[in-house]
Amino acid sequence: MNILVTGCAGMIGSYLTSHLLKLFPKNDGNKIIGIDNLSRGKLSNLKEACGNDFEDLIFVNGNLSLFDYSWAKYFQNIDIVIHLADIVAGIGYVFSNESYVFRTNLLINSNISKAIFEYKPKRYIYVGTACSFPRNLQLSTNSRPLVEDDQFPAAPESGYGWSKLMGEIEAGYLSKEGITDSVVLSLHNVYGKYCDYAKETSQVIPSLCLKAIECSKENKNLVVWGNGNQGRAFVHAEDVVNAIILSFEKGANEGVIQIGPNKCTKINEIANLLIEKIDMNIKLEYDLSKPVGDIGRSANFNKAKNSIGWVPKVTIEEGISDLIEWLKFKVIDIF
Ligand SMILES: NC(=O)c1ccc[n+]([C@@H]2O[C@H](COP(=O)([O-])OP(=O)(O)OC[C@H]3O[C@@H](n4cnc5c(N)ncnc54)[C@H](O)[C@@H]3O)[C@@H](O)[C@H]2O)c1
């Protein structure tokens, strides 16, 4: 098996690459190639995730927003391309940089499509996002779980959601024209280790975890954006990797498949879980001036279950405990 992963040094990429190196060992004639420009991902995280297997990875430092054969040539003789590289960040960053995020993601996704068009891998796995679903279906934490048919008529809230939707459409055209078999997985809110925890760009779970560790050390209140009643369907990166690997054999040319639980977890629930796990003395404080994004969403994952055999397995308690331990160790230097 020859497999190419874009965005291999990111959060999902680090988990995925480590699994692929184990499942398809180099000694059995397999080849795993990872491309990343390390703009958000870190080689140290990828190395940590892969351990000794890292030596078997062919790592390419390439900027996918510029089409260039220095990276595109690696698409030759590839069986499966898994495309994870895109600009993704917390809502503070996404809503303040919409034109950049939109433009860059269109460029990256189109360049990947061009490489696929040229080298015709057997399968193309594209990851979309629940942010591409219409805003009006995400106005309450009691909104009914989204189904795939809800995507159109399209009305995503952010430039990020629109850009990722365009990538889905392009993947669909590659399938329609018989260039490759495309699988489109629409991921809900993913969390796990190997994530970006920088204050400006981190996503909600690592951001709150880091703040809670800081509050515990400095005896401060934990500040939540908005009133904390906004919620998301959080899915652990290990569950996402499982969905990607299941789609090596199934799910092609079937349109979008949602990957996420049917439960909407409020940010207040996450904050209280962190207090319980880190320090019961931490008090909550609300900053109503900050953006909160969509108010609530969850996934009806029946299509994922029927088409690729996927169900979520990692509980939010397990996933968060694991992340806290990782972050505590990472941030020793910060505090
Ligand atoms: N994290 C989530 O909650 C979530 C939810 C839905 C969908 N997704 C999608 O999953 C994918 C992976 O997300 P993630 O959370 O692992 O993000 P991440 O930022 O950790 O990983 C993305 C990787 O892409 C790399 N990258 C960015 N621009 C690049 C470029 N021009 N050239 C080469 N590499 C580049 C980054 O350095 C990073 O390592 C993204 O496509 C994202 O849209 C993520």
Side-chain angles (χ1 to χ4, degrees), residues 142-199:
N142 296 321
S143 307
R144 65 162 172 77
L146 296 165
V147 291
E148 285 73 4
D149 283 347
D150 288 332
Q151 256 194 348
F152 294 96
E157 188 179 12
S158 66
Y160 168 70
W162 277 108
S163 70
K164 297 290 297 179
L165 186 61
M166 297 302 108
E168 287 185 14
I169 289 173
E170 211 167 355
Y173 291 141
L174 291 167
S175 272
K176 194 176 157 197
E177 292 170 10
I179 308 294
T180 187
D181 287 333
S182 300
V183 183
V184 177
L185 302 176
S186 177
L187 312 180
H188 278 254
N189 285 62
V190 190
Y191 71 102
K193 300 185 291 192
Y194 317 124
C195 57
D196 172 17
Y197 48 84
K199 284 205 166 108

Side-chain angles (χ1 to χ4, degrees), residues 6-13 35-42 62-65 83-88 104 108 127-130 160 164 186-191 194-196 203:
T6 74
C8 63
M11 174 182 65
I12 300 172
I35 309 183
D36 204 299
N37 68 350
L38 306 178
S39 54
R40 190 172 190 229
K42 288 196 174 84
N63 179 2
L64 303 169
S65 64
H83 173 38
L84 303 175
D86 258 332
I87 306 295
V88 46
T104 310
I108 294 174
V127 294
T129 168
Y160 168 70
K164 297 290 297 179
S186 177
L187 312 180
H188 278 254
N189 285 62
V190 190
Y191 71 102
Y194 317 124
C195 57
D196 172 17
Q203 287 164 270

Side-chain angles (χ1 to χ4, degrees), residues 110-129:
S110 275
N111 286 337
I112 297 301
S113 294
K114 180 170 151 71
I116 285 175
F117 190 83
E118 207 155 312
Y119 293 110
K120 301 184 178 46
K122 295 188 187 75
R123 188 161 290 235
Y124 173 37
I125 302 176
Y126 174 85
V127 294
T129 168

Side-chain angles (χ1 to χ4, degrees), residues 20-323:
L20 293 179
L21 289 166
K22 285 237 155 5
L23 282 172
F24 303 100
K26 187 181 171 190
N27 286 344
D28 294 350
N30 301 294
K31 193 158 72 177
I32 311 293
I33 299 173
I35 309 183
D36 204 299
N37 68 350
L38 306 178
S39 54
R40 190 172 190 229
K42 288 196 174 84
L43 215 44
S44 56
N45 285 340
L46 181 59
K47 283 183 180 167
E48 183 187 334
C50 298
N52 291 338
D53 296 336
F54 179 79
E55 288 169 20
D56 294 344
L57 174 72
I58 300 169
F59 176 75
V60 180
N61 190 330
N63 179 2
L64 303 169
S65 64
L66 298 170
F67 190 88
D68 179 345
Y69 285 97
S70 70
W71 60 259
K73 67 180 181 199
Y74 289 94
F75 280 61
Q76 205 162 8
N77 298 322
I78 292 294
D79 297 300
I80 302 177
V81 170
I82 305 147
H83 173 38
L84 303 175
D86 258 332
I87 306 295
V88 46
I91 51 175
Y93 182 88
V94 163
F95 283 104
S96 320
N97 297 277
E98 283 190 281
S99 74
Y100 169 73
V101 172
F102 182 79
R103 188 169 62 249
T104 310
N105 285 349
L106 290 192
L107 288 169
I108 294 174
N109 297 338
S110 275
N111 286 337
I112 297 301
S113 294
K114 180 170 151 71
I116 285 175
F117 190 83
E118 207 155 312
Y119 293 110
K120 301 184 178 46
K122 295 188 187 75
R123 188 161 290 235
Y124 173 37
I125 302 176
Y126 174 85
V127 294
T129 168
C131 299
S132 299
F133 280 73
R135 177 172 180 265
N136 61 308
L137 297 177
Q138 308 182 45
L139 297 177
S140 153
T141 44
N142 296 321
S143 307
R144 65 162 172 77
L146 296 165
V147 291
E148 285 73 4
D149 283 347
D150 288 332
Q151 256 194 348
F152 294 96
E157 188 179 12
S158 66
Y160 168 70
W162 277 108
S163 70
K164 297 290 297 179
L165 186 61
M166 297 302 108
E168 287 185 14
I169 289 173
E170 211 167 355
Y173 291 141
L174 291 167
S175 272
K176 194 176 157 197
E177 292 170 10
I179 308 294
T180 187
D181 287 333
S182 300
V183 183
V184 177
L185 302 176
S186 177
L187 312 180
H188 278 254
N189 285 62
V190 190
Y191 71 102
K193 300 185 291 192
Y194 317 124
C195 57
D196 172 17
Y197 48 84
K199 284 205 166 108
E200 309 72 34
T201 47
S202 58
Q203 287 164 270
V204 62
I205 290 190
S207 163
L208 277 176
C209 270
L210 196 66
K211 282 198 267 183
I213 296 170
E214 186 181 8
C215 293
S216 168
K217 287 192 193 295
E218 298 178 1
N219 213 8
K220 293 194 302 199
N221 290 346
L222 176 58
V223 180
V224 169
W225 288 13
N227 63 12
N229 286 327
Q230 69 278 20
R232 298 287 184 273
F234 292 104
V235 56
H236 193 269
E238 286 282 8
D239 278 332
V240 171
V241 167
N242 192 23
I244 292 172
I245 290 170
L246 286 167
S247 39
F248 284 8
E249 303 279 337
K250 297 173 183 165
N253 313 323
E254 292 183 18
V256 65
I257 301 170
Q258 281 184 104
I259 300 298
N262 53 11
K263 181 178 186 310
C264 177
T265 303
K266 291 182 184 172
I267 301 305
N268 273 332
E269 291 177 62
I270 302 285
N272 284 320
L273 192 59
L274 290 171
I275 291 174
E276 202 179 288
K277 290 188 182 288
I278 293 172
D279 182 348
M280 291 298 280
N281 294 317
I282 299 174
K283 301 270 178 304
L284 291 177
E285 187 182 316
Y286 297 96
D287 185 347
L288 300 178
S289 70
K290 296 289 190 196
V292 295
D294 299 308
I295 303 301
R297 64 173 171 245
S298 63
N300 173 333
F301 59 85
N302 280 346
K303 185 168 177 187
K305 200 168 162 186
N306 296 331
S307 120
I308 61 170
W310 181 87
V311 292
K313 291 189 178 144
V314 181
T315 65
I316 195 101
E317 289 80 7
E318 289 166 341
I320 283 190
S321 298
D322 191 43
L323 177 61

